Amino acid sequence: MGNPAVERDEPLSPLGRLFLTPEMHQIVHCIMGCENPIDVAAVTSEIANSVMVRLPRFSSLLVRDSHRREHWRQTQVDVHRHVVVFEEPVSDAGDDGEAVNDYVADLAVSLPLSSDKPLWEVHLLRAHNCIIFRIHHALGNGISLMSMLQEWCQRADHEPDRRSSMGSMGTYSNSSSKREKQ
């Protein structure tokens, strides 16, 4: 009988394997500006309790078998290893937008995701009131990743149970009503 751990591993899709090749090593970066100061403990707790860490890809390590084929292997997620906090400005640029864009540009070309944990990170740039999600493209396509992030980001207006609706373009919707954006 085979190794039970290997039997539970899930092979990467062909597209996932393509995104891992050296020529295509793709990481999706999503920048989210915040109106209020970032509470690191609250964000970390929110991530730890979110649907994101329960999704198989977001809670799996990328492993290679003896034939160099990639597989996903379930692991315990230590959210603290995925949250990177910067208290000080990341650049001398006077403009927050320029500083954050420079930071993400540097990340995109210089810092791969560590393979000893699931292939995602959340960078909290407190001085710039900004959150950056770094997610390897092998975990999903842009639309599915943005939908997952949108689900994670709850509206902070007077109706906290209402979530914004991507594609509504000017309207908000939930299961009980549709309203015009004011």
Side-chain angles (χ1 to χ4, degrees):
M1 213 161 198
N3 181 344
V6 173
E7 290 174 359
R8 285 193 308 262
D9 288 353
E10 182 180 338
L12 262 68
S13 68
L15 192 55
R17 293 184 70 214
L18 174 68
F19 284 128
L20 287 167
T21 61
E23 301 82 18
M24 291 284 293
H25 202 62
Q26 299 279 320
I27 298 173
V28 176
H29 293 89
C30 175
I31 303 169
M32 183 171 70
C34 300
E35 190 172 297
N36 298 314
I38 297 171
D39 179 336
V40 174
V43 171
T44 303
S45 175
E46 199 60 40
I47 293 169
N49 295 310
S50 73
V51 68
M52 182 170 77
V53 296
R54 293 188 305 268
L55 293 170
R57 297 286 184 276
F58 285 81
S59 60
S60 294
L61 294 174
L62 177 67
V63 296
R64 287 187 173 83
D65 64 19
S66 59
H67 302 289
R68 307 272 311 140
R69 292 283 180 153
E70 297 90 356
H71 297 267
W72 296 115
R73 180 169 296 158
Q74 288 287 153
T75 189
Q76 189 68 27
V77 175
D78 179 359
V79 172
H80 293 32
R81 291 191 62 216
H82 292 271
V83 176
V84 180
V85 180
F86 288 91
E87 297 289 342
E88 301 299 319
V90 294
S91 161
D92 290 335
D95 176 64
D96 279 338
E98 185 180 335
V100 171
N101 284 334
D102 288 347
Y103 177 75
V104 172
D106 287 345
L107 280 178
V109 296
S110 65
L111 190 62
L113 290 165
S114 175
S115 62
D116 68 342
K117 62 185 181 184
L119 298 175
W120 59 272
E121 291 178 341
V122 178
H123 291 226
L124 306 178
L125 308 183
R126 294 196 67 205
H128 304 285
N129 234 24
C130 180
I131 300 173
I132 299 168
F133 296 91
R134 299 187 75 215
I135 304 168
H136 199 288
H137 217 315
L139 299 181
N141 65 38
I143 298 297
S144 66
L145 295 175
M146 290 307 299
S147 295
M148 186 268 314
L149 290 175
Q150 181 187 17
E151 180 64 25
W152 181 69
C153 297
Q154 193 172 2
R155 290 194 52 82
D157 60 9
H158 297 293
E159 297 182 52
D161 62 331
R162 185 175 66 170
R163 297 184 188 274
S164 62
S165 175
M166 210 164 111
S168 62
M169 297 306 285
T171 63
Y172 294 120
S173 66
N174 66 16
S175 58
S176 62
S177 67
K178 287 195 174 193
R179 291 177 230 213
E180 288 295 315
K181 191 178 187 181
Q182 297 181 6

